[in-house]
């Protein structure tokens, strides 16, 4: 519930900021003129950092008998943290598995930074250890880093 409330608070703050920004732009346009306003807007946009990364298909090709599964680590009203792992079905493989963390849902005002994701299979049981930081943000500014660790086992079907 806290994730949902924090996300809604962040969205409200963003709308309030945009209203202030458009009011300031109108005032700037009136006082400084069109050319100065355009240069000002370009300067503001130059400070915005961000990248769009789609690493869902990170080049890994499933081999014969390999299966992708998900295990829920944290389940809130509007936010889910899942462990995704790949293993070979119908074998007695033991060792480390390929895995990654998936974050889904309404992720406004908070985010997850994985530090260590370790999954190992032995005798049909997966042992996992996931550590990371849950970041609490306000308008993109990190206010608090909350360390989290998830340990457990998953019995294969």
């Amino acid at each position: 519930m806290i994730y949902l409330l924090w996300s809604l608070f962040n969205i409200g703050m963003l709308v309030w900021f945009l209203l202030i920004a458009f009011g300031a732009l109108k005032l700037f346009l009136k006082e400084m003129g069109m050319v100065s306003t355009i240069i000002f807007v370009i300067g503001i946009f130059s400070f915005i950092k961000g990248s769009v990364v789609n690493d869902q298909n990170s080049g890994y090709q499933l081999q014969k008998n390999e299966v992708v599964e998900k295990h829920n680590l944290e389940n809130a009203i509007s936010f889910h943290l899942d462990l995704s792992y790949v293993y070979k079905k119908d074998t007695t493989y033991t060792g480390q598995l390929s895995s990654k963390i998936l974050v889904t849902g309404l992720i406004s005002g908070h985010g997850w930074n994985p530090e260590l994701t370790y999954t190992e299979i032995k005798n049909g049981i997966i042992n996992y250890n996931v550590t990371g930081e849950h970041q609490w943000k306000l308008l993109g500014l990190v206010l608090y880093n909350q360390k989290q660790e998830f340990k457990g086992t998953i019995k294969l079907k």
Side-chain angles (χ1 to χ4, degrees):
M1 185 65 159
I2 188 108
Y3 298 120
L4 178 62
L5 292 174
W6 189 253
S7 295
L8 293 175
F9 177 70
N10 263 277
I11 291 170
M13 292 292 287
L14 179 63
V15 169
W16 189 15
F17 172 76
L18 289 175
L19 289 172
I20 292 169
F22 283 121
L25 272 179
K26 282 170 59 175
L27 185 63
F28 199 85
L29 179 63
K30 182 179 176 185
E31 294 295 321
M32 301 297 281
M34 180 62 91
V35 175
S36 296
T37 304
I38 291 172
I39 292 172
F40 177 72
V41 168
I42 291 171
I44 293 292
F45 282 132
S46 70
F47 288 108
I48 297 175
K49 296 178 186 172
S51 63
V52 177
V53 177
N54 184 5
D55 64 341
Q56 289 297 104
N57 299 324
S58 59
Y60 185 80
Q61 298 291 322
L62 287 177
Q63 305 297 320
K64 188 177 181 180
N65 293 335
E66 284 188 334
V67 180
V68 177
E69 295 284 340
K70 280 193 328 185
H71 177 72
N72 186 264
L73 298 175
E74 187 169 358
N75 191 13
I77 291 174
S78 64
F79 170 75
H80 302 283
L81 192 63
D82 297 318
L83 172 68
S84 174
Y85 55 92
V86 178
Y87 71 96
K88 287 189 178 190
K89 205 167 185 140
D90 301 328
T91 64
T92 57
Y93 174 75
T94 57
Q96 196 169 356
L97 299 176
S98 173
S99 60
K100 74 190 304 187
I101 299 298
L102 301 174
V103 181
T104 57
L106 180 60
I107 309 166
S108 174
H110 61 95
W112 172 262
N113 263 349
E115 291 175 352
L116 172 71
T117 304
Y118 180 77
T119 50
E120 179 183 46
I121 187 170
K122 192 181 234 182
N123 298 329
I125 296 176
I126 296 175
N127 295 307
Y128 65 87
N129 184 7
V130 176
T131 58
E133 289 183 340
H134 197 113
Q135 295 181 329
W136 295 90
K137 304 175 184 180
L138 182 62
L139 294 176
L141 179 68
V142 177
L143 297 178
Y144 179 69
N145 285 328
Q146 176 185 5
K147 294 272 189 190
Q148 288 185 312
E149 181 175 17
F150 302 97
K151 287 183 179 181
T153 59
I154 305 167
K155 185 172 178 166
L156 294 178
K157 302 171 190 170

